[in-house]
Amino acid sequence: MNKVDKYIKKGFLFSSVFIIIGILAGITGFVFDYQQKLMSGLTAGFLPTGIVMLALYKYSYKKPELRKNIALENEKRNIFINSKAGHTSFWICYFYIFLVFILSYMVEIKVIQFLIITIFFMPIVYFTFVIIYHKKY
C-alpha cells in the first residue's frame, strides 16, 4: 500500500469519526434536548464536513487526477511550508488574542463580535503565510 492509499484510508477514518460525532451531537441535542443550541452547532459543523470528506475520498479512488493532488499535498516541501505557516500564524493569532484581551478593558467589544472577527482573521493569516512561504521556498 503506497502513501496515497494510506492517506485516503486515514481520510476515511477521520470522515467516519466526524460523521459519528455529528450524529451523536444531533441525537443529544434534539432527542434528549440537552444543550440544543450547542449540539445543533456541533451537528452543523461535523456532519456535513464528514459527509463531504467521505465523498471526496470515495471519489478519489476513481479519479487519478485527485490521487495526484493528494500525492502533491503530501510532498515534503508542501508539508514543510504548511507547518511553517501554521507555526507563524499560531503566534500571530496568539498575540492578536492577547492584544484584544488587553484592549477589551479600554474598548467595549461584545464576545460574538470578537469571535466573528477571529474566525475570519485566523484563516486569512494562515493562508497568507502559506502563499508567502510558497513563493519563498
Side-chain angles (χ1 to χ4, degrees), residues 4-131:
V4 175
D5 289 334
K6 286 181 183 178
Y7 186 82
I8 291 172
K9 192 172 183 177
K10 191 184 334 179
F12 273 125
L13 177 68
F14 279 119
S15 62
S16 301
V17 169
F18 276 38
I19 291 170
I20 290 169
I21 291 172
I23 290 171
L24 288 176
I27 291 171
T28 304
F30 296 111
V31 175
F32 296 116
D33 200 31
Y34 177 76
Q35 297 282 332
Q36 192 170 9
K37 288 183 181 180
L38 174 67
M39 294 302 158
S40 63
L42 288 174
T43 301
F46 278 103
L47 195 58
T49 304
I51 291 171
V52 170
M53 283 173 57
L54 187 68
L56 179 69
Y57 289 120
K58 193 87 162 161
Y59 187 68
S60 70
Y61 273 124
K62 299 175 186 174
K63 294 291 181 183
E65 59 268 7
L66 229 80
R67 293 176 70 80
K68 183 180 176 186
N69 287 345
I70 291 171
L72 288 174
E73 183 180 314
N74 289 309
E75 198 175 77
K76 288 186 188 236
R77 177 182 172 267
N78 287 330
I79 292 171
F80 168 76
I81 288 171
N82 288 338
S83 63
K84 189 163 177 68
H87 177 265
T88 307
S89 60
F90 167 80
W91 284 109
I92 288 174
C93 292
Y94 178 83
F95 287 115
Y96 156 76
I97 291 171
F98 177 73
L99 182 68
V100 169
F101 178 74
I102 297 297
L103 292 176
S104 69
Y105 290 108
M106 292 182 264
V107 179
E108 285 292 321
I109 184 169
K110 294 180 182 177
V111 173
I112 193 71
Q113 291 171 332
F114 168 69
L115 292 175
I116 290 171
I117 292 167
T118 303
I119 286 201
F120 286 107
F121 179 74
M122 290 173 74
I124 288 171
V125 169
Y126 173 73
F127 288 118
T128 300
F129 279 103
V130 167
I131 291 168

